[in-house]
Amino acid sequence: MPKRSDIKKIMVIGSGPIVIGQAAEFDYAGTQACLALKEEGYSVVLLNSNPATIMTDKEIADKVYIEPITLEFVIRILRKERPDALLPTLGGQTGLNMAMELSKIGILDELGIELLGTKLSAINQAEDRDLFKQLMEDLEQPIPESKIVNTVEEALAFAVGIGYPVIVRPAFTLGGTGGGICANENELREIAENGLKLSPVIQCLIERSIAGFKEIEYEVMRDAADNALVVCTMENFDPVGIHTGDSIVFAPTQTLSDVEHQILRDASLKIIRALKIEGGCNVQLALDPNSFKYYVIEVNPRVSRSSALASKATGYPIAKIAAKIAVGLTLDEMINPVTGTTYAMFEPALDYVVAKIPRFPFDKFEHGERRLGTQMKATGEVMAIGRNIEEVLLKACRSLEIGIYHNEMLELKGATDDQLFEKIVKAQDDRLFYVSEAIRRGFTIEEIAELTKIDIFFLDKLLHIFEIEEDLKNSVGDLELLKEAKRNGFSDRQIAELWNRTTEAIRKLRRENKILPVYKMVDTCAAEFESTTPYFYSTYEWENESIRSEKESILVLGSGPIRIGQGVEFDYATVHSVKAIQAAGYEAIIMNSNPETVSTDFSVSDKLYFEPLTFEDVMNVIELEQPKGVVVQFGGQTAINLAESLANAGVTILGTQVSDLDRAEDRNLFEKALKVLRLGSQSWYVPRMSWVVALWKSLKMKRISVLICTLR
């Protein structure tokens, strides 16, 4: 089916400011959508209020409006621009809710503007709890016993009938905002009142709790011709009861039998077809671990944080394909841009494992409520790719940048068994580390499974990590054991600690004995077809698929996970530095661990390494690629913190040098510099790109500053 020729101008609505549940993943989705539409020849108008995003750069759309995403401003822009169509499904809940408001007041009909992609009727069916419940009943898809309520009294009356605990799910809110699990009347009264207040339609779903079931996600795509496929399957480490955005997630699913997978796959495809969604959709399901019984939890009729994760996990660009579906193209006629040979209808196949671990803000809010539930609390996330669960879990742990390099927090060694028991049962952000500590103390995985409802398969992987730790302690210097530890994701630093040696000694031992990582390609097809995608991950196996080119290269370090104080603005700076490096004639290489970002889109750089931003992992890439130098000043504090150790290892740091970084970052040195310059010390200089650069939207000036850095 050919693309639409009756529309010329399309308006895309962004997601506004970064908030918990709506972060860099929508900059990634919106940027992909705008570029995909321009690629097809459409004029694109973009509205977003966030200056830190790449999507608000003037080259992403033909016209960019940095204005509030409110009814008043959107109507003004619509009247001025008179687009033929509106695409709201790539702007998160903000975009969806705005589309609903515009339709409700009749402005779209008045101006003759068509809503592209998923229709309002489908959005309503997926987001409105009552309509969704009716649809699931019509499709004979099981859902937990529930009731739609508009008052607290209705909620309380229903809970009395089915018994506690119950789950509150407000309609049309972001990241489970306003919801939660209620164990008694007082909790239900408080949470239901808040949920109704936050729901724009004053509506909540009260449902019987199925906490403890496995939580499974299917990321699915459909086009107007009713072609549909599963892009990615994901399984939560934590059972139902913890928001999927706050849970550790593995892709593909790990503990399902083929029968279970086919049951859930069929259900997901049946739902997306019934909703007539045109684009991407996330289906969340709960599976009874002791039977084939399952429930449909909810459906997101738009791209989400899970969509970004699925895109980076598989290499399949969901937002880009969704944008092209919105203008009439079908999956069976679009070439997958990753392989360049297969069609977008070809379901991705993974010959590796992916792990996602959320990043929480509790380092900034020490007294915040750390208990996890159905309301999302994570500010960002990290992703790791490898060949087994142990490897990806440990790579993800050291990507978090919370002062750890293993699934171990040293401060937990002082916790009592009672404290461990409480933290394991009452899940909070650091539950993984409490569970790991319990295993080290001799708690059996069967006991922990009973307490947490975490699948024993995942707990056995944590036990295996502990067993390798014990073997290393008992066999200092054993090269075969060193190889096994590296294959299972152990860092040099952890091995050094277990062997009572320095990290440098372990690195030297590895290099002398050629125990080095190889890099495998993410190609969406498990190497079944040839792929040209320069997207790599490390593992300790044999054949290396990343071949160094003859062209001089520069490595740019990204900023890791989104957290308070280090957000999407550093992704913005990283991407622009890469474009400047390419314009200067160099091969640009990006290294980052954040699946939400534009910088980890395979099409941005000449090569992408999805790896932890640690000295060991960065040096492994440097030793393979032999770049002319490394740029650290666009990756925020994450990259800056690596500058000294890289320079000491003989790596050329391009741009601001380590001594200059120290003079700016070290308060004593900075004060001395101010005294030499006879300046006061009321202000502070930041020797890297910060959020200020996002406000400075002069592309020409930014590019000049980046070129100075790379060519110094």
Side-chain angles (χ1 to χ4, degrees):
M1 178 173 166
K3 67 183 180 184
R4 297 273 298 272
S5 59
D6 58 327
I7 54 178
K8 307 296 180 186
K9 183 188 285 190
I10 301 170
M11 182 168 161
V12 175
I13 299 179
S15 60
I18 301 297
V19 294
I20 289 177
Q22 193 160 285
E25 65 271 18
F26 293 105
D27 183 32
Y28 165 65
T31 299
Q32 272 205 340
C34 290
L35 294 176
L37 294 174
K38 286 178 68 175
E39 190 178 288
E40 294 299 330
Y42 296 100
S43 174
V44 178
V45 178
L46 170 69
L47 167 64
N48 199 3
S49 58
N50 190 338
T53 57
I54 293 161
M55 71 185 299
T56 49
D57 271 350
K58 62 183 181 181
E59 73 243 37
I60 300 300
D62 297 287
K63 275 194 176 180
V64 177
Y65 288 88
I66 303 181
E67 297 286 352
I69 305 175
T70 62
L71 207 55
E72 177 189 355
F73 280 94
V74 175
I75 290 172
R76 284 187 193 178
I77 295 166
L78 290 174
R79 290 193 185 283
K80 180 177 184 294
E81 291 293 338
R82 297 294 175 119
D84 301 301
L86 182 68
L87 184 58
T89 52
L90 299 162
Q93 201 67 42
T94 300
L96 276 190
N97 289 350
M98 181 51 60
M100 300 293 291
E101 286 189 69
L102 292 169
S103 175
K104 187 176 180 180
I105 65 170
I107 191 69
L108 298 181
D109 290 337
E110 177 191 327
L111 299 178
I113 298 171
E114 181 182 347
L115 201 65
L116 292 181
T118 301
K119 305 304 179 190
L120 285 179
S121 57
I123 295 171
N124 258 325
Q125 278 186 301
E127 294 279 342
D128 185 290
R129 298 295 181 179
D130 198 16
L131 294 176
F132 182 69
K133 180 181 178 182
Q134 291 174 25
L135 177 65
M136 293 303 102
E137 289 172 351
D138 292 343
L139 295 175
E140 298 182 339
Q141 290 298 316
I143 56 175
E145 187 178 353
S146 62
K147 180 179 176 61
I148 305 300
V149 302
N150 302 103
T151 68
V152 173
E153 288 68 31
E154 289 178 317
L156 294 172
F158 178 70
V160 168
I162 66 167
Y164 291 93
V166 296
I167 297 177
V168 177
R169 299 187 189 277
F172 293 94
T173 65
L174 174 68
T177 299
I181 299 177
C182 310
N184 53 55
E185 180 181 326
N186 289 337
E187 290 181 2
L188 177 57
R189 185 180 295 277
E190 180 183 348
I191 292 175
E193 183 178 353
N194 188 47
L196 290 167
K197 187 186 301 181
L198 293 173
S199 170
V201 293
I202 316 174
Q203 181 194 88
C204 285
L205 179 78
I206 312 298
E207 70 179 21
R208 183 187 296 278
S209 174
I210 49 171
F213 277 41
K214 295 181 184 182
E215 184 156 358
I216 311 294
E217 295 181 78
Y218 278 68
E219 198 70 32
V220 286
M221 297 279 289
R222 178 187 174 274
D223 61 28
D226 206 34
N227 297 309
L229 79 154
V230 173
V231 176
C232 186
T233 64
M234 294 170 277
E235 180 171 359
N236 289 14
F237 174 86
D238 297 295
V240 172
I242 295 175
H243 192 285
T244 184
D246 286 352
S247 180
I248 298 167
V249 175
F250 294 99
T253 52
Q254 297 294 305
T255 71
L256 303 192
S257 67
D258 184 59
V259 172
E260 290 169 327
H261 167 64
Q262 295 302 333
I263 289 172
L264 300 186
R265 182 181 188 277
D266 290 347
S268 300
L269 293 175
K270 188 175 184 178
I271 290 168
I272 193 174
R273 285 187 163 122
L275 286 169
K276 293 185 169 52
I277 283 171
E278 295 179 23
C281 173
N282 174 259
V283 182
Q284 295 173 22
L285 306 117
L287 178 68
D288 183 351
N290 302 311
S291 72
F292 292 130
K293 185 177 183 179
Y294 72 95
Y295 292 109
V296 179
I297 301 174
E298 64 180 6
V299 173
N300 285 317
R302 54 172 172 79
V303 297
S304 63
R305 184 167 293 185
S306 292
S307 305
L309 175 66
S311 292
K312 303 302 172 64
T314 61
Y316 188 102
I318 291 172
K320 183 172 187 175
I321 300 298
K324 296 199 174 191
I325 286 173
V327 294
L329 293 170
T330 55
L331 291 163
D332 56 351
E333 65 184 356
M334 283 186 277
I335 296 293
N336 185 332
V338 177
T339 63
T341 54
T342 61
Y343 284 88
M345 189 64 207
F346 188 91
E347 288 196 352
L350 279 61
D351 56 355
Y352 50 83
V353 185
V354 172
K356 176 212 89 176
I357 300 182
R359 179 63 154 82
F360 293 90
F362 300 117
D363 53 334
K364 298 289 186 182
F365 299 104
E366 293 181 7
H367 302 294
E369 175 52 70
R370 300 178 70 162
R371 287 279 301 277
L372 302 181
T374 60
Q375 184 170 324
M376 189 170 169
K377 295 183 178 180
T379 55
E381 60 194 24
V382 298
M383 187 183 94
I385 313 175
R387 302 297 257 192
N388 58 52
I389 293 286
E390 296 90 333
E391 181 180 27
V392 295
L393 189 68
L394 293 180
K395 285 174 77 173
C397 282
R398 65 178 183 265
S399 297
L400 285 170
E401 297 173 35
I402 56 174
I404 63 164
Y405 46 92
H406 199 63
N407 66 324
E408 181 178 32
M409 287 182 169
L410 296 180
E411 58 266 33
L412 300 191
K413 292 185 181 299
T416 65
D417 284 358
D418 287 342
Q419 287 172 326
L420 281 184
F421 181 87
E422 182 183 2
K423 298 296 185 183
I424 287 171
V425 173
K426 298 178 180 179
Q428 60 182 44
D429 58 293
D430 51 5
R431 184 195 220 179
L432 170 68
F433 305 101
Y434 278 97
V435 171
S436 300
E437 177 64 23
I439 288 173
R440 291 186 181 96
R441 291 196 192 181
F443 283 56
T444 70
I445 57 176
E446 290 79 12
E447 288 174 324
I448 297 172
E450 182 62 31
L451 291 171
T452 64
K453 306 305 178 188
I454 296 170
D455 194 281
I456 202 162
F457 171 84
F458 295 125
L459 297 174
D460 188 56
K461 296 299 182 181
L462 296 180
L463 177 61
H464 186 217
I465 290 171
F466 169 64
E467 289 169 345
I468 295 172
E469 292 171 10
E470 291 299 291
D471 289 343
L472 285 167
K473 288 178 185 176
N474 297 326
S475 303
V476 175
D478 188 318
L479 291 180
E480 287 305 311
L481 196 52
L482 175 60
K483 290 178 185 177
E484 183 186 353
K486 297 306 290 184
R487 281 194 295 268
N488 284 280
F490 278 60
S491 66
D492 286 352
R493 185 171 173 179
Q494 177 66 11
I495 295 168
E497 184 176 296
L498 294 169
W499 280 0
N500 197 26
R501 295 185 181 180
T502 65
T503 303
E504 179 54 38
I506 300 300
R507 181 166 173 261
K508 182 180 179 183
L509 180 65
R510 279 198 302 103
R511 296 175 73 192
E512 287 173 349
N513 290 276
K514 294 185 169 46
I515 304 174
L516 303 171
V518 296
Y519 292 88
K520 299 292 185 181
M521 183 181 286
V522 175
D523 58 12
T524 81
C525 58
E528 187 174 345
F529 299 97
E530 189 174 346
S531 177
T532 57
T533 306
Y535 176 13
F536 302 99
Y537 66 92
S538 70
T539 191
Y540 279 79
E541 288 189 356
W542 299 276
E543 183 183 5
N544 182 55
E545 297 175 3
S546 178
I547 308 302
R548 181 190 170 201
S549 73
E550 296 299 318
K551 194 174 182 180
E552 272 196 318
S553 64
I554 292 173
L555 174 64
V556 180
L557 300 184
S559 60
I562 301 293
R563 64 267 204 191
I564 293 173
Q566 189 155 305
V568 69
E569 65 274 12
F570 294 106
D571 186 48
Y572 176 82
T574 298
V575 170
H576 276 290
S577 71
V578 163
K579 297 303 178 187
I581 288 165
Q582 291 171 326
Y586 296 96
E587 180 179 77
I589 303 170
I590 284 181
M591 187 170 175
N592 203 358
S593 59
N594 189 337
E596 303 172 35
T597 58
V598 178
S599 64
T600 50
D601 185 339
F602 68 87
S603 64
V604 167
S605 56
D606 296 296
K607 269 188 173 180
L608 168 65
Y609 287 93
F610 214 108
E611 291 290 297
L613 293 167
T614 69
F615 173 75
E616 175 187 342
D617 297 285
V618 172
M619 280 304 301
N620 286 338
V621 171
I622 289 172
E623 287 166 358
L624 173 68
E625 291 290 350
Q626 297 293 306
K628 179 182 176 69
V630 177
V631 177
V632 299
Q633 68 194 70
F634 302 111
Q637 204 63 43
T638 296
I640 289 289
N641 289 344
L642 290 169
E644 184 174 1
S645 56
L646 292 174
N648 290 341
V651 175
T652 301
I653 303 297
L654 298 174
T656 307
Q657 297 302 292
V658 173
S659 58
D660 301 319
L661 294 172
D662 284 344
R663 191 158 52 246
E665 294 275 344
D666 185 287
R667 292 184 181 271
N668 290 327
L669 293 177
F670 183 68
E671 190 173 340
K672 288 178 182 177
L674 291 178
K675 286 180 180 177
V676 170
L677 295 171
R678 296 181 180 179
L679 296 172
S681 58
Q682 290 84 5
S683 61
W684 191 257
Y685 169 66
V686 182
R688 52 174 165 77
M689 286 292 185
S690 70
W691 58 268
V692 176
V693 78
L695 297 175
W696 187 18
K697 277 291 185 181
S698 169
L699 180 60
K700 184 176 180 181
M701 291 303 294
K702 286 201 303 287
R703 286 266 174 102
I704 288 173
S705 70
V706 175
L707 282 167
I708 290 170
C709 165
T710 56
L711 297 176
R712 178 169 175 169

